[in-house]
Amino acid sequence: MNIIGTGLSGLVGSRVTELLGVFHSFEDLSLEAGVDITKFDEVEKRLTASNAPWVFHFAAFTDVQGSEAEKDKGIESASWKVNVEATRNIASVCDKLGKHILYLSTDYVFDGMADSYDEQAVANPQGWYAKTKYEGEKIIKNMTSLGLVVRIANPYRAKPVGKKDFMHKILERLQQGLPVAAPTDQKMTATYIDDLAHGIEKLISINATGVYNIPGADSFSPYEGALAIADVFGTSKTAISETTFEAYFASRAPIPRYGVLTHDKIESLGIQLHTFKEGLIEIKQMEDK
């Protein structure tokens, strides 16, 4: 299958295309390919010229702190233009052409007050980044027969491209003996990007629509996550210290304290997810080669 997509060179997109490139060809929908996705006419021209039945919309303004800093700009903010306007442009053209669209969303669309969130849970985004991502979600959900929302959380992978994932940021600090303060009273899940790629392959093969969560198989506190990274990569744990969610995020954009996504729905399709430690072990094996 030919697939056209945004954000294919980023942390998530580059790994997904690497793994799925065995089965599919990919076209780039980006500034590098001469398309500004915030400009409707450019998007329409490019998508109309493509025979791809699926559009992967991975591009997003993901700087959570930077997004919060510009929230007063509202619809003029960069995060709104990329996460909402570009999504509306792509969705509108897909609707007209009958193309399926896969939109990557986030656990941040939830307020973090519940123990866990399934695909039907009511969103209540707190920060500006989260609000813009949820506005994008709503646009895709309105495309009932063509729209697919895939929610992920804290994606990580071997040999990250572009910006480092959270796991490698922690590992780098541990390897340098720098302090790592991590909350013990927060719960998170983490998406192993290889699992995401396999999940996406299954979903597009059945022309799935609606919402699917693809997190990790388990949940853990950031403190437990830091200890797991030290265990697997053999670094000292002396730099890891306990802190609280409130203290750590006191001056930062609001995020869910309990960002635990369920995974029953994707697993019902035969997709097996890694626990965080299992993902770390695979990554170490790949990076040691």
Side-chain angles (χ1 to χ4, degrees):
M1 187 194 307
N2 186 36
I3 296 166
I4 190 167
T6 72
L8 299 184
S9 62
L11 176 72
V12 173
S14 60
R15 183 59 174 163
V16 171
T17 56
E18 180 184 351
L19 291 172
L20 299 193
V22 178
F23 314 108
H24 309 290
S25 58
F26 287 91
E27 291 181 68
D28 194 20
L29 188 66
S30 69
L31 283 173
E32 289 76 20
V35 180
D36 181 345
I37 59 174
T38 67
K39 304 288 177 58
F40 178 83
D41 290 348
E42 294 184 22
V43 171
E44 183 179 40
K45 181 179 179 182
R46 188 70 184 83
L47 288 183
T48 302
S50 173
N51 67 353
W54 272 95
V55 179
F56 287 0
H57 184 25
F58 293 166
F61 189 98
T62 58
D63 180 351
V64 177
Q65 306 308 321
S67 184
E68 196 67 15
E70 62 164 18
K71 66 180 179 181
D72 291 342
K73 294 181 181 178
I75 62 173
E76 294 302 316
S77 63
S79 43
W80 183 275
K81 288 178 179 178
V82 175
N83 297 346
V84 186
E85 289 302 326
T87 303
R88 183 177 289 117
N89 290 341
I90 297 166
S92 177
V93 177
C94 284
D95 213 18
K96 185 176 82 170
L97 298 175
K99 294 182 187 290
H100 293 265
I101 178 171
L102 186 161
Y103 173 81
L104 272 194
S105 193
T106 168
D107 59 319
Y108 281 25
V109 301
F110 298 112
D111 58 19
M113 302 299 287
D115 290 337
S116 64
Y117 297 92
D118 64 16
E119 285 82 357
Q120 305 305 315
V122 177
N124 185 24
Q126 299 299 296
W128 185 244
Y129 160 74
K131 289 176 180 176
T132 62
K133 286 299 292 180
Y134 184 53
E135 288 301 316
E137 256 199 29
K138 290 192 286 187
I139 292 166
I140 304 303
K141 286 176 184 173
N142 284 335
M143 301 173 63
T144 51
S145 64
L146 296 169
L148 172 63
V149 173
V150 174
R151 292 195 189 117
I152 64 174
N154 305 297
Y156 67 106
R157 56 172 287 186
K159 304 173 185 175
V161 171
K163 67 175 186 177
K164 286 189 176 69
D165 54 45
F166 85 98
M167 181 231 112
H168 282 89
K169 287 177 183 176
I170 293 172
L171 176 60
E172 190 173 78
R173 292 186 68 83
L174 292 175
Q175 289 172 334
Q176 294 173 0
L178 297 173
V180 174
T184 57
D185 58 348
Q186 178 189 359
K187 283 291 183 185
M188 59 185 281
T189 51
T191 298
Y192 182 39
I193 296 174
D194 291 31
D195 287 346
L196 173 64
H198 299 317
I200 286 174
E201 172 62 19
K202 180 62 178 181
L203 291 170
I204 65 172
S205 74
I206 60 172
N207 282 332
T209 60
V211 182
Y212 285 82
N213 295 337
I214 306 185
D218 61 346
S219 62
F220 51 93
S221 71
Y223 180 72
E224 291 167 333
L227 292 177
I229 292 167
D231 273 339
V232 171
F233 286 87
T235 70
S236 171
K237 299 176 184 175
T238 56
I240 304 171
S241 63
E242 300 180 16
T243 187
T244 64
F245 178 81
E246 282 190 8
Y248 189 83
F249 290 99
S251 58
R252 306 186 190 209
I255 72 159
R257 182 170 182 167
Y258 301 107
V260 179
L261 299 176
T262 64
H263 43 82
D264 301 351
K265 190 175 179 182
I266 191 66
E267 287 188 332
S268 73
L269 298 178
I271 300 300
Q272 291 189 321
L273 304 177
H274 288 71
T275 65
F276 185 52
K277 196 157 191 176
E278 288 169 347
L280 293 176
I281 290 168
E282 278 206 4
I283 285 170
K284 187 174 190 303
Q285 289 171 343
M286 281 188 267
E287 294 185 344
D288 282 349
K289 284 183 180 178

